[in-house]
Amino acid sequence: MNSNTSTVANKSVLLGLVKLMRPHQWIKNGFVFAPLLFTGLFLDLVAVGQALLAFMLFSLAAAATYVVNDLKDIEQDKQHPVKSLKRPLASGLVKPLQAKQLLVGLYAILLTGFWFQPAVMGVIVGYLLLNVAYSYYLKHQPVLDIFTIAIGFVLRVYAGAMAIAVPVSSLMFVTTLCLALFLASIKRRQELLQTNQQGRKVLALYSVTLIDRYAEISATGALLFYSLFVMNVHPELMVTIPFVLFGLFRYWYLSEMLGEGESPTEALMTDHQLLLTVVAWVGVCIWALWPAGGL
């Protein structure tokens, strides 16, 4: 009986450690594949392999940042209506010592990445340092917190370019930044509405009206710069602009009317229309850029 109890407890802790790394959030690392898509190198098996490796390394790095963040925010997360139940550390499913051991293991695995993709690992080191600064300081600074989240997405695109050794259009960087600012703004908006300024100190320094303005500016910027990117670099992708526009509209609808948006990943995976839009956009991009194009 004791053996069975111990086995169940071990499985529970293992599950908690997996949840602590938030593998469902790794879909955000899909931004790594943007350079592969827009260069048309998705037909090159070597390039695909390098992009996949970069994706895996970035996912490990993201997992490490989640562990660091949750270790730092145990007490705040306990005050959050959702995080107090879902976060392994806040709920008590995983002990801090176990989380620290996991973190050491993740860093050890990441070190091997320097052997395979040193350029990508250089970007990832920057990402890790940025997120440490975020966890301990930047997340408490209004505006800087939103920009820090957004820069993480830009670094993903840059890592993807480093993985396959291609240049990236400045318009792609600005488009990514604006889109990420939109997602980060909506995330803060939903946190503010759902927690009433509890669980994250920086929320007290925002208002819903202000964040709505941030979201409007960044969404407009994302659409504008994506359109400029398409018209100047890939005119054959003009047909994808309506998909981007619909995606922005749909995401805003989910946020405003259905109360979603605190987690972009969950919104994407649970809303069939949004998921279908993203899949269709990728499919049309591949069709339009077949065979190889250029950034």
Side-chain angles (χ1 to χ4, degrees), residues 104 112 139 147 206 218 287:
V104 171
T112 65
K139 71 188 307 179
F147 267 82
Y206 285 119
S218 53
W287 170 78

Side-chain angles (χ1 to χ4, degrees), residues 71-284:
L71 281 168
K72 175 68 173 57
D73 289 349
I74 295 177
E75 296 305 319
Q76 293 93 320
D77 288 346
K78 288 179 179 179
Q79 301 176 35
H80 193 282
V82 177
K83 294 177 182 178
S84 60
L85 300 175
K86 291 188 175 182
R87 296 283 171 86
L89 284 169
S91 65
L93 183 61
V94 173
K95 298 185 182 302
L97 178 58
Q98 295 168 326
K100 292 175 182 177
Q101 292 170 338
L102 173 62
L103 184 60
V104 171
L106 289 171
Y107 284 150
I109 296 173
L110 276 172
L111 283 175
T112 65
F114 281 100
W115 178 264
F116 301 102
Q117 290 187 337
V120 171
M121 286 305 301
V123 179
I124 287 178
V125 168
Y127 171 81
L128 291 171
L129 292 175
L130 179 66
N131 277 277
V132 169
Y134 175 80
S135 295
Y136 285 88
Y137 178 74
L138 294 175
K139 71 188 307 179
H140 305 301
Q141 307 304 312
V143 183
L144 278 176
D145 65 321
I146 293 177
F147 267 82
T148 303
I149 295 173
I151 290 171
F153 284 88
V154 176
L155 289 177
R156 288 172 169 90
V157 173
Y158 188 49
M162 291 295 98
I164 59 176
V166 297
V168 180
S169 166
S170 57
L171 287 172
M172 180 187 288
F173 276 132
V174 179
T175 300
T176 303
L177 177 63
C178 288
L179 177 60
L181 285 171
F182 170 69
L183 296 175
S185 296
I186 294 297
K187 176 180 174 64
R188 284 292 184 264
R189 179 185 188 277
Q190 297 310 99
E191 288 175 338
L192 183 58
L193 289 173
Q194 294 174 13
T195 64
N196 194 27
Q197 300 182 1
Q198 296 179 359
R200 193 185 291 274
K201 295 179 181 179
V202 75
L203 294 177
L205 304 175
Y206 285 119
S207 70
V208 174
T209 301
L210 176 62
I211 295 180
D212 278 342
R213 289 173 182 168
Y214 289 163
E216 290 169 3
I217 292 172
S218 53
T220 302
L223 179 61
L224 173 62
F225 287 112
Y226 179 76
S227 299
L228 288 173
F229 169 71
V230 165
M231 289 186 288
N232 287 278
V233 183
H234 284 301
E236 63 270 37
L237 292 180
M238 286 290 292
V239 69
T240 66
I241 293 177
F243 291 94
V244 174
L245 190 57
F246 179 83
L248 292 172
F249 272 50
R250 181 64 185 177
Y251 194 79
W252 218 321
Y253 172 80
L254 295 175
S255 168
E256 187 81 18
M257 304 306 297
L258 302 183
E260 299 181 20
E262 184 174 348
S263 172
T265 301
E266 291 181 9
L268 175 63
M269 299 309 297
T270 57
D271 185 74
H272 293 161
Q273 289 189 37
L274 186 60
L275 180 60
L276 181 61
T277 300
V278 173
V279 171
W281 174 80
V282 172
V284 172

Side-chain angles (χ1 to χ4, degrees), residues 11-23:
K11 288 183 178 180
S12 180
V13 171
L14 181 60
L15 177 61
L17 291 173
V18 172
K19 290 180 64 177
L20 188 60
M21 294 187 291
R22 301 184 214 174

